[in-house]
Amino acid sequence: MTRNGEAGFSRRLPGKHSAAIAALAAASVLFSQAARADEGGVSFWLPGFFGSLAASPLQPGWSLTSIYYHTSVSAGADVAAAREFQLGRIPVNLTASVNASLQARADLGLLLPTYTFATPVFGGQLTVGAIGIYGRTSTSLAGSVTGALATPLGTLPFSRFDTISDSVTGFGDVFPIATLRWNNGVHNYMTYIVGDIPVGAYDSTRLSNIGIGHSAIDAGGGYTYLNPQTGHEFSGVLGFTYNFTNQSTQYQNGVDMHFDWGASQFLTKQFLVGAVGYVYQQVGCDTGAGNRVGCFKSQVVGAGPQVGFIIPLTTEVQGYVNLKSYWEFAHDNRPDGWNAWVTFVLSPAEQTPSTAPRRMIAK
């Protein structure tokens, strides 16, 4: 690319306006009970929430993000046993071991309206919004439960084969979110906070849920390096989750730590390619009167490709499409598998300053 080409590219680089929220939302949020960790293998935080351009400045005004999300995961005896305890299928007086497996999949739609303020807040750019979810999850569990059952007459051997499956279609929890960003040349910084209002479809006696059954709050900070001259970009966001007690099960998930990252290269002013990934690690033990599986710390690592397309629509509105996928590995006490995202964003387009009128000079 010539130097003149680089200069033209830098003026249109989407990280400086509407596509920044697109890239953020392209790694946006989903908290599907069918697929994730902590109690019974389920956590509030979905790794991959933030991705490329997470800390980049946005164009002031309203934006609307819609996401289709699909995930397919499986788990072994550790998660299957936790789900058996959660469902109340293993009596308190039973000392049991579980040899089973769990399969889950989800197809969900997310809608995320946000508003970015033009007036600085603490010298930064404030964005607020909320995330809504609607979709379907399905889960199945199959395997054997063996152990010893304590009775007034003594200890009796126990053996059973379980085949359980169910599904649910409905709305998920509501997630209010706020971010604050600062820009200093190619360096961009951000902080965020997101919460869970547990109003989604949830039943502690059901394998499949869209809500998680308890409140949670997550906060952290991130950094984006974005060089408009070369099109190089890298982002990383570190955060921590505090979970409140699930009143239905009297179970409290431990504190979770997560690091989401994304790297991309703008090949043209409207097309990017790159990679995304995450590291999730539970750093606090699960607790509560309903906890029968002990500390149950979970972890998982994921990585995959991404592509993005900027679509000029009008002089005031711009579109953005992002496709990405993660493959998971290095998991513990947590289902793993793969997931795919298709994101479409409508946001304000960068306004080109009008040229000042030329003065008329009279002789």
Side-chain angles (χ1 to χ4, degrees):
M1 180 180 292
T2 66
R3 178 60 58 184
N4 289 338
E6 288 178 352
F9 173 69
S10 67
R11 289 195 298 268
R12 297 294 303 278
L13 219 159
K16 293 298 180 185
H17 43 87
S18 61
I21 188 65
L24 164 65
S28 194
V29 63
L30 171 70
F31 310 98
S32 169
Q33 174 99 358
R36 302 294 164 192
D38 292 30
E39 181 183 7
V42 180
S43 68
F44 163 74
W45 184 262
L46 176 70
F49 178 80
F50 290 109
S52 287
L53 301 172
S56 296
L58 310 179
Q59 190 72 7
W62 286 99
S63 295
L64 181 64
T65 299
S66 57
I67 299 172
Y68 166 71
Y69 174 89
H70 172 83
T71 184
S72 179
V73 296
S74 61
D78 51 355
V79 175
R83 298 302 285 272
E84 290 263 18
F85 283 119
Q86 178 186 340
L87 296 175
R89 296 182 61 86
I90 300 178
V92 176
N93 60 340
L94 176 63
T95 302
S97 62
V98 178
N99 182 15
S101 62
L102 180 142
Q103 306 285 331
R105 60 181 294 153
D107 292 280
L108 299 167
L110 289 78
L111 196 64
L112 168 59
T114 59
Y115 184 80
T116 300
F117 293 88
T119 303
V121 177
F122 299 113
Q125 188 179 51
L126 176 64
T127 300
V128 297
I131 304 160
I133 299 174
Y134 182 84
R136 177 181 176 83
T137 68
S138 59
T139 312
S140 62
L141 184 154
S144 60
V145 180
T146 59
L149 183 65
T151 70
L153 302 177
T155 301
L156 301 176
F158 178 90
S159 179
R160 184 182 73 207
F161 189 87
D162 281 344
T163 301
I164 314 167
S165 63
D166 58 33
S167 61
V168 61
T169 300
F171 290 96
D173 294 349
V174 174
F175 310 100
I177 180 173
T179 64
L180 194 59
R181 297 176 174 83
W182 298 267
N183 169 254
N184 182 17
V186 299
H187 304 291
N188 303 273
Y189 310 91
M190 62 90 74
T191 184
Y192 77 91
I193 186 169
V194 60
D196 184 303
I197 302 174
V199 295
Y202 175 80
D203 186 336
S204 61
T205 64
R206 187 171 57 207
L207 274 176
S208 300
N209 287 292
I210 300 178
I212 62 173
H214 67 272
S215 300
I217 189 168
D218 190 285
Y223 168 80
T224 291
Y225 172 82
L226 177 62
N227 189 327
Q229 299 300 319
T230 63
H232 300 336
E233 178 272 339
F234 174 79
S235 296
V237 180
L238 176 68
F240 296 85
T241 304
Y242 178 81
N243 298 281
F244 295 89
T245 301
N246 184 332
Q247 298 300 319
S248 297
T249 61
Q250 294 303 306
Y251 193 110
Q252 185 174 15
N253 294 347
V255 173
D256 302 323
M257 178 183 70
H258 47 83
F259 179 73
D260 300 341
W261 62 268
S264 63
Q265 174 65 49
F266 286 87
L267 302 181
T268 71
K269 61 187 179 182
Q270 293 178 329
F271 177 63
L272 68 86
V273 297
V276 289
Y278 50 72
V279 178
Y280 170 93
Q281 176 69 60
Q282 186 178 343
V283 295
C285 290
D286 295 350
T287 58
N291 178 13
R292 296 180 57 196
V293 295
C295 188
F296 204 64
K297 288 184 178 180
S298 55
Q299 67 177 37
V300 74
V301 178
Q306 67 164 331
V307 295
F309 308 88
I310 301 168
I311 307 171
L313 297 175
T314 70
T315 57
E316 296 182 351
V317 179
Q318 188 161 294
Y320 179 80
V321 177
N322 183 281
L323 298 89
K324 68 173 186 174
S325 186
Y326 294 91
W327 280 262
E328 296 180 322
F329 55 95
H331 69 105
D332 188 24
N333 291 331
R334 179 183 184 95
D336 74 326
W338 66 276
N339 55 79
W341 312 64
V342 180
T343 301
F344 179 66
V345 181
L346 292 173
S347 57
E350 185 179 35
Q351 300 301 305
T352 303
S354 59
T355 303
R358 299 178 62 181
R359 296 180 62 182
M360 298 288 292
I361 302 176
K363 292 185 178 180

